[in-house]
Amino acid sequence: MKSILNFIKVCKDISTAGQPTKNDFKLISKNKFDVVINLALYNSNNALKNEDKIVSKNNMIYIHIPISWDKPEIDRLNLFCTTLKELQKENKKVFIHCAKNYRVSIFIYYYKRIILKDKNAKLILPRG
């Protein structure tokens, strides 16, 4: 999994990264992830065409919540948090990505700090 762009294991059931390749999704599936959440825009420079079909062919659920890097919208953040909270209640293993793993890292920090009320939450940004 560490070969995936800017991969970070957040906890046992949540990992994040930058844009995976087609072959990366096979690896993600082999690591028993149930759901892939994509926060990147459709037109991100490294977006994968037909990502939804690729993820589905690898027996995972695909959720796309496009978030603008320049102008993130609070309703999209709320949708992300609600979705992730429900997936955690269902004990789903979730892989979340955007183009480089910066949007996701910030959203995960917000989720842990505000939604889960984790006072020890830290912002973990990828090194790349």
Side-chain angles (χ1 to χ4, degrees):
M1 295 292 291
K2 292 183 180 187
S3 64
I4 299 173
L5 177 66
N6 292 332
F7 175 81
I8 298 172
K9 183 174 181 173
V10 176
C11 62
K12 103 178 159 66
D13 290 330
I14 299 173
S15 292
T16 67
Q19 179 64 56
T21 66
K22 186 175 180 178
N23 286 332
D24 288 339
F25 283 115
K26 291 177 187 175
L27 180 61
I28 293 164
S29 178
K30 285 181 184 175
N31 278 270
K32 303 188 186 310
F33 283 89
D34 302 300
V35 180
V36 171
I37 299 176
N38 177 3
L39 300 185
L41 298 175
Y42 294 101
N43 59 355
S44 293
N45 59 356
N46 62 346
L48 189 58
K49 187 175 180 182
N50 298 320
E51 182 175 322
D52 56 339
K53 291 176 183 158
I54 294 165
V55 170
S56 294
K57 283 182 183 177
N58 283 287
N59 300 311
M60 296 178 289
I61 296 167
Y62 180 76
I63 300 171
H64 191 192
I65 306 172
I67 308 293
S68 168
W69 176 254
D70 296 328
K71 295 180 183 176
E73 299 170 2
I74 192 70
D75 64 327
R76 299 289 175 114
L77 173 59
N78 290 335
L79 176 59
F80 167 79
C81 290
T82 301
T83 302
L84 186 55
K85 192 170 185 179
E86 288 303 313
L87 291 170
Q88 285 201 291
K89 282 183 190 176
E90 295 174 16
N91 295 313
K92 300 291 186 189
K93 191 170 179 183
V94 184
F95 185 91
I96 309 161
H97 81 85
C98 59
K100 301 286 184 187
N101 199 10
Y102 292 103
R103 260 173 291 224
V104 176
S105 293
I106 293 166
F107 274 40
I108 287 293
Y109 172 76
Y110 179 89
Y111 176 76
K112 289 171 76 177
R113 181 74 184 189
I114 305 302
I115 305 303
L116 299 182
K117 300 184 184 341
D118 179 356
K119 293 180 182 179
N120 297 315
K122 294 181 181 172
L123 178 60
I124 302 170
L125 292 173
R127 296 177 189 234

